[in-house]
Amino acid sequence: MRHLFLVALIAGLGFSFPLRTLAQQSTPDQIDPFVALNRQRQREDPAEITFSIRLKDNRTRFQQGEIIQLELIFSSSIASRFSVNRASYDRSGRLNIDDFVIDRERSTVDPLSDYFNSLFISMAGGLTGFHELDDKSFALTTEINEWLRFDEPGHYRLYVESKRVGRKRSPEYLPQGNPPLSVVSNIIEFEIVPADAKWARRKLAEASAGFGQSKNDQERRAGCRTLRFLGTQEAVSEMVKLLGTGEHGCDHEFSFGLIGSPHRALAISEMERSLAAPNHPVNSTFLRTLAILVFATQEPKLPPYPVGNEAAVKNWQALNAARREKFAQILERYIGDLVNAIPSKHDDARAVSLQTLLTYQQNVKQDGTLAKDMQDLLGMIPDLFLRLPLDSQTHLLRSYWKSIAKPAMLPVLQRIYEGSKQQKEPDSYQQRELRTIALTRLYELAPEEGRRLILAEISRLERRVNFTSLGLLPDETLPELDETLATHLEQTKETGKGDLDAISGLIERYATVTILPRVQAFFAPQVGRSACRTQSALLAYILRVDPPTGADLIAKALAARGKGYSRCYPSTLTEVAALHMAPEIEAAAIEALEESDPEMVVQAASVLSKYGSARVEKILWERFERWISEVRDRAGEFMNLYPGIPTQRAPGVSSEVMIEQALLEALSKGQAWLADREKLERLRALCLTQNGLDELNSTIRGLNLAISIGITPFNDKPYMIGVAQYNLDSIDALKKKLLQFPAGTIFKFGSERNSRSQQLFQELKSYLEAHGLGLEEP
């Protein structure tokens, strides 16, 4: 029996009924092994749960390639004891939460089995939600085609085993995080008939015509999935034609449609022809899909992982490594074909194809001829950059800047920045984001010209870029902008024009004490009533130029609670400290630790952990031990609670648990002190909640002296820095943390290998050795 995964299903045969009904109505001579197994599994279901499936609109006859919608229906005879997971997708492309069980498994194929049982999945997870069950039916809908391709006409039977239902740990606890229960549906029956050629041509024409029309996302996706599942040779050709063009937003669907097609040889042939065609853009999805198709036709499926057998595990790992190498060779071969095809491609197709080469730079041997040919071709990017879609331009400037940061990009960046001057339509968010990063890159490439443009932009009341590029200048203050910034602040009130958040941010970043009276006159009457970002920026400015006044205003902002206020107080200290940490902030956070409001305690602990001095460690310990002593006699109420998740019987208790979590986090990961094993063990002994114990146990188990620094080959800035249980936001912060470890400590450098990480290794090694510490390569 093969189990096939399902995204979302829903059930019943026109109405909801207990799962035992089908078995009760059957006679012994009607029972066959498929029915018997279904009944056996149903008997293991919780008696309070009803789970059934039905075909949408009660249809029972479908053509091959027609989308078959299936409904899953859940209910419970006892309200609020069970919940159902409403997730409908996973970022890997398949939701492993439901299993399809089909009676004629030799007549069906899992279209994506090669993909999901191989080496191609790179991520998982997705948005989800939970619905509390009661006696009213709750329904979800899915499409069977996602998991089953019917290669033979005939009569089929199917049932579903779902792991969507969760039981609450007790009547007062919410279900998130609880182990799922398995529930089994009734059996449905349906007929698959050979596809009518005229019907298939009509469905293909309808789907293809829809891509050229203005449709909402739901309608567009329906057309994409029609093509994906249609299963005809004509549908394969159409998906190949559309894949990579960017005209529909369905590359993911078409990629899976081609991988799952019964006509793989045709798909490979058509894709190879399109790769070389002058007018066809070859994006990264196109190239990877082609490589996967070829790999799947040449390599057998990867066997299951042999749990518990060391010799078999080693053989499996060797096989997996060999398969990865084979896939890398296939991919590199097609990268080479694309390199040869690009000179003959027309401008728009060439631009997209060049972007693909940039994406796959690291997939070819860097000392070979292909790498050199790629570099030669990538020199064309500045000439074709503006032919790329806006999102592609933004992606390249953000993530691949190191590879294209050449003088030839200067006029391109200038055109992007100046591009909106002649626009009649208002800027879209995407255009503004692109212009912002273009100005940032322009400043990096030509600092003098970039500075001129940034200063000119700051001088505008209504700016065309986001704040991130305007705060780049190295100057501590810009006195020449004082008058402009103060006037802009006042004009927002007088005219209603201008971005108050951005103006406040620029005042915090660059203004001098000269305009303090004007800023105070504008802001003081609004303390507690301003938008949170505006308030935090102006508080940080005042704290910088006049600490006593800033401290007084911060106290007023924290006290501004209740009706008529903007409810910024739970985040004020955190936001101001991120802009300008000062002794006054530390003092305010220490005072806030003593509040009865859990939100204030959580905020204070976070600020002291990230920005506080070493002296606050003792204060945090005292606060934690005092909280423990205050609630110890209620410890039983806390054990199974999660921070901030309210309970039905005692909604306030979970808010108190937030205090434990915040203090544990602050003490175990504070930046100004070292929480070694002894301190972590001490924290674990004091913990009252299972959640806190689990987190501390995980931290203690993971203790090691490996320094991890993540750097992509395309950007010198680390995206991840860590050592022991600490996550740092800069190399300077890492160096400070390393000096907190005992003299003689030897660290290991566990980062990915590239030229930048090797430079950092030598830099850190010299730094640590100068301070009586050491660094080794793994």
Side-chain angles (χ1 to χ4, degrees), residues 248-428:
H248 42 71
C250 289
D251 275 0
H252 169 79
E253 298 286 357
F254 294 156
S255 174
F256 275 7
L258 293 168
I259 292 169
S261 170
H263 308 292
R264 282 183 168 176
L266 174 65
I268 292 170
S269 174
E270 296 260 339
M271 292 185 80
E272 288 178 340
R273 182 180 58 78
S274 294
L275 187 148
N279 286 317
H280 196 102
V282 178
N283 67 4
S284 57
T285 302
F286 184 104
L287 200 67
R288 190 166 183 266
T289 301
L290 175 55
I292 290 171
L293 277 167
V294 173
F295 177 86
T297 61
Q298 295 179 357
E299 292 293 310
K301 293 180 182 178
L302 189 66
Y305 186 82
V307 178
N309 185 325
E310 186 174 346
V313 166
K314 288 183 179 179
N315 289 336
W316 187 94
Q317 291 172 337
L319 175 62
N320 193 35
R323 287 164 57 84
R324 288 183 177 277
E325 177 59 28
K326 180 65 180 292
F327 179 73
Q329 292 171 2
I330 293 171
L331 182 61
E332 185 169 350
R333 187 182 92 210
Y334 283 117
I335 292 171
D337 290 348
L338 183 59
V339 165
N340 294 330
I342 281 177
S344 64
K345 285 191 177 290
H346 298 163
D347 286 345
D348 289 350
R350 183 183 294 180
V352 172
S353 302
L354 284 171
Q355 180 186 2
T356 302
L357 286 191
L358 194 60
T359 303
Y360 283 111
Q361 275 186 99
Q362 301 305 308
N363 292 86
V364 302
K365 297 179 180 64
Q366 297 303 299
D367 56 353
T369 303
L370 179 56
K372 182 181 181 302
D373 292 343
M374 287 177 69
Q375 286 301 318
D376 291 343
L377 285 174
L378 291 175
M380 301 179 182
I381 285 180
D383 294 334
L384 298 166
F385 191 88
L386 296 176
R387 290 184 174 272
L388 291 169
L390 293 184
D391 58 345
S392 295
Q393 295 180 37
T394 303
H395 179 61
L396 291 186
L397 291 180
R398 178 175 287 120
S399 302
Y400 290 86
W401 174 241
K402 180 182 173 184
S403 299
I404 60 175
K406 306 289 192 296
M409 283 297 296
L410 264 177
V412 178
L413 297 170
Q414 289 168 331
R415 283 190 62 186
I416 293 172
Y417 173 70
E418 299 292 347
S420 66
K421 282 190 173 180
Q422 286 75 39
Q423 274 185 203
K424 295 181 180 180
E425 298 293 326
D427 278 347
S428 67

Side-chain angles (χ1 to χ4, degrees), residues 156 323 468 498 603 723:
Y156 289 88
R323 287 164 57 84
T468 51
Q603 176 184 200
V723 62

